[in-house]
């Protein structure tokens, strides 16, 4: 049986967590004189003079119910990026331990590795944007601590084969992190159901995409309770502010909006992919299970600059492996997508 505690950095395993005033007292009182707050009130109003709940009890309970997982398997962070950084700090000794990523993929994995001085190993995706399972298994060694997989992948947009992901989980004696930021847009179930029987699996989710709360900055990590417990030990005591928690709770109470948005985005994704494929400036529109389309243009640089001149911002991914001449285009509203297509038509008339 995989034992995650075996991989924890010794100083982290011995860490005595900071004990905040609100973590020492969890009840309800009439007078709070324990946390050196401004008892007169807040310049912002709304009771923000008080520190937030350090363990986000109400929001964690709602998230656990929504995703059908135990509360002790839920970590809430300041975006998924906080969870990514914590995993590096918990498991990777600087300059010693190794991390595997599969480019092209989400750039924050590499950035977090550099910040935490982890040894980075790259096993590129295949030409079909799938995992090179054999190459990954050959790269894993006794120093490997983390493997990051993004499915649906960013920037390619496709799901990684579930069987390949599970093969890596079952073969690797390290933590396998699967980033499912875009899973709501895919016709495939989450890997959350695999966590009870896969103790080295960490699944990342977010409220930034399908839930429309990018500005709120709420990320979620789901894993074996032993991993989550250490993440909660290492995190800052008040990593999610009261306004963010309130807004997240409100968003999760209006799921009918989310379901409607997902359907509309998927429909527009199909329409936009077809329309882009008919433009002569476009060489290829890659299949997508996300809310964006990786699109190869004949002259991606010129197209990018032209769209910018028309007030349309897309993402140039041309410098990434396998993504030469590619722009990543978020699926917008029907009107936004049509404006994009009109701009491309204008470019082609030049």
């Amino acid at each position: 049986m995989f034992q995650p505690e075996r991989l924890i950095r010794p100083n982290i395993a011995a860490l005595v967590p900071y004990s905040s005033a609100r973590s020492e007292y969890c009840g309800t009182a009439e007078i709070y004189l324990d946390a050196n707050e401004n008892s007169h009130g807040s310049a912002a109003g709304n009771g923000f003079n008080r520190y937030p709940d350090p363990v986000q009890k109400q929001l964690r309970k709602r998230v656990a119910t929504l995703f059908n997982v135990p509360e002790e398997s839920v970590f809430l962070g300041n975006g998924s990026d906080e969870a990514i950084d914590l995993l590096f700090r918990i498991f990777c000794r600087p300059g010693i331990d190794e991390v595997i990523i599969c480019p092209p993929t989400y750039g924050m994995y590499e950035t977090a590795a550099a910040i935490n001085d982890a040894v980075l190993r790259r096993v590129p995706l295949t030409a079909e944007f799938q995992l090179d399972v054999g190459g990954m298994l050959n790269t894993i060694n006794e120093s490997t601590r983390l493997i990051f997989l993004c499915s649906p992948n960013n920037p390619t947009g496709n799901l990684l084969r579930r069987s390949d992901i599970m093969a890596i989980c079952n073969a690797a004696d390290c933590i396998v992190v699967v980033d499912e930021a875009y899973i709501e847009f895919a016709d495939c179930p989450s890997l959350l159901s695999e966590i009870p029987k896969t103790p080295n699996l960490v699944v990342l989710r977010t409220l930034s995409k399908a839930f429309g709360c990018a500005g709120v900055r709420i990320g979620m990590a789901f894993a074996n309770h032993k991993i989550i417990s250490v993440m909660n030990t290492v995190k800052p005591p008040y990593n999610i502010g009261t306004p963010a928690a309130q807004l997240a709770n409100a968003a999760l109470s209006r799921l009918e909006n989310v379901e409607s948005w997902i359907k509309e985005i998927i429909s527009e994704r199909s329409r936009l992919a077809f329309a882009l494929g008919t433009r002569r400036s476009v060489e290829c529109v890659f299949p997508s299970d996300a809310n964006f389309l990786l699109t190869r243009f004949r002259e991606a640089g010129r197209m990018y600059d032209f769209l910018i001149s028309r007030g349309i911002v897309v993402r140039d991914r041309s410098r990434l492996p396998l993504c030469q001449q590619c722009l990543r285009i978020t699926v917008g509203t029907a009107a936004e997508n049509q404006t994009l297509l009109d701009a491309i038509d204008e470019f082609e008339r030049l």
Side-chain angles (χ1 to χ4, degrees):
M1 172 66 81
F2 177 81
Q3 298 294 328
E5 56 268 32
R6 183 182 61 79
L7 301 179
I8 297 172
R9 291 169 54 188
N11 64 306
I12 298 297
L15 179 68
V16 177
Y18 174 78
S19 180
S20 67
R22 290 300 180 264
S23 62
E24 291 175 357
Y25 178 76
C26 301
T28 302
E30 294 183 6
I31 299 175
Y32 289 98
L33 302 176
D34 57 333
N36 301 334
E37 300 152 328
N38 183 341
S39 296
H40 294 280
S42 166
N46 299 310
F48 295 150
N49 58 313
R50 299 298 181 188
Y51 283 108
D53 177 0
V55 293
Q56 308 99 25
K57 291 185 292 294
Q58 183 181 4
L59 184 56
R60 282 183 74 191
K61 183 175 182 178
R62 188 182 289 274
V63 167
T65 300
L66 175 63
F67 293 102
N68 193 29
V69 297
E71 287 184 51
E72 60 266 26
S73 292
V74 179
F75 170 82
L76 299 177
N78 181 8
S80 297
D81 294 340
E82 181 178 25
I84 292 169
D85 180 66
L86 284 176
L87 290 168
F88 275 97
R89 288 197 276 152
I90 291 167
F91 292 106
C92 294
R93 294 168 295 174
I96 299 175
D97 292 324
E98 300 185 3
V99 177
I100 297 174
I101 65 170
C102 302
T105 192
Y106 180 41
M108 194 61 198
Y109 311 143
E110 185 166 350
T111 299
I115 290 171
N116 289 280
D117 195 23
V119 179
L120 191 65
R121 303 296 185 197
R122 299 177 181 85
V123 182
L125 297 178
T126 67
E128 293 75 33
F129 298 151
Q130 290 295 333
L131 296 176
D132 176 2
V133 176
M136 294 185 72
L137 294 180
N138 288 333
T139 305
I140 297 170
N141 59 51
E142 64 277 3
S143 296
T144 306
R145 291 295 181 267
L146 297 170
I147 297 173
F148 283 92
L149 307 176
C150 190
S151 183
N153 188 41
N154 176 12
T156 61
N158 64 295
L159 282 162
L160 303 178
R161 282 190 285 267
R162 191 185 188 96
S163 59
D164 290 348
I165 294 174
M166 296 313 301
I168 297 297
C169 288
N170 293 330
D173 192 22
C174 65
I175 305 297
V176 180
V177 185
V178 180
D179 190 340
E180 292 188 336
Y182 302 96
I183 194 66
E184 288 89 355
F185 306 104
D187 185 20
C188 178
S190 168
L191 285 168
L192 288 176
S193 61
E194 302 289 346
I195 289 175
K197 54 189 176 185
T198 315
N200 61 332
L201 174 62
V202 177
V203 176
L204 302 181
R205 299 285 290 269
T206 182
L207 298 188
S208 294
K209 310 301 180 182
F211 293 88
C213 291
V216 178
R217 306 304 301 136
I218 297 291
M220 300 163 284
F222 302 89
N224 178 292
H225 67 93
K226 294 180 180 179
I227 296 175
I228 297 300
S229 176
V230 180
M231 293 180 74
N232 280 317
T233 295
V234 177
K235 77 172 183 66
Y238 302 114
N239 62 324
I240 293 178
T242 299
Q246 290 175 348
L247 290 168
N249 268 304
L252 295 179
S253 68
R254 295 194 291 267
L255 295 180
E256 67 280 359
N257 292 341
V258 177
E259 294 170 0
S260 175
W261 293 330
I262 291 171
K263 289 179 181 178
E264 184 171 350
I265 289 169
I266 291 174
S267 175
E268 276 297 300
R269 182 180 70 193
S270 297
R271 185 182 78 87
L272 182 59
F274 176 81
L276 286 169
T278 66
R279 268 54 182 183
R280 67 175 185 272
S281 59
V282 172
E283 287 191 351
C284 176
V285 181
F286 292 96
S288 176
D289 298 294
N291 68 335
F292 57 84
L293 294 166
L294 186 69
T295 305
R296 176 163 287 140
F297 287 84
R298 301 187 190 282
E299 298 178 282
R302 285 190 61 219
M303 179 62 74
Y304 177 84
D305 291 340
F306 181 82
L307 293 176
I308 289 290
S309 75
R310 295 301 185 268
I312 300 171
V313 182
V314 296
R315 191 79 187 272
D316 189 349
R317 301 280 74 189
S318 297
R319 293 189 178 91
L320 298 181
L322 304 176
C323 296
Q324 293 77 11
Q325 296 293 329
C326 285
L327 303 181
R328 193 193 70 196
I329 302 172
T330 302
V331 178
T333 65
E336 289 172 334
N337 296 334
Q338 190 57 53
T339 300
L340 168 73
L341 293 170
D342 291 345
I344 293 174
D345 290 342
E346 182 185 356
F347 175 89
E348 292 182 351
R349 290 194 296 268
L350 294 177

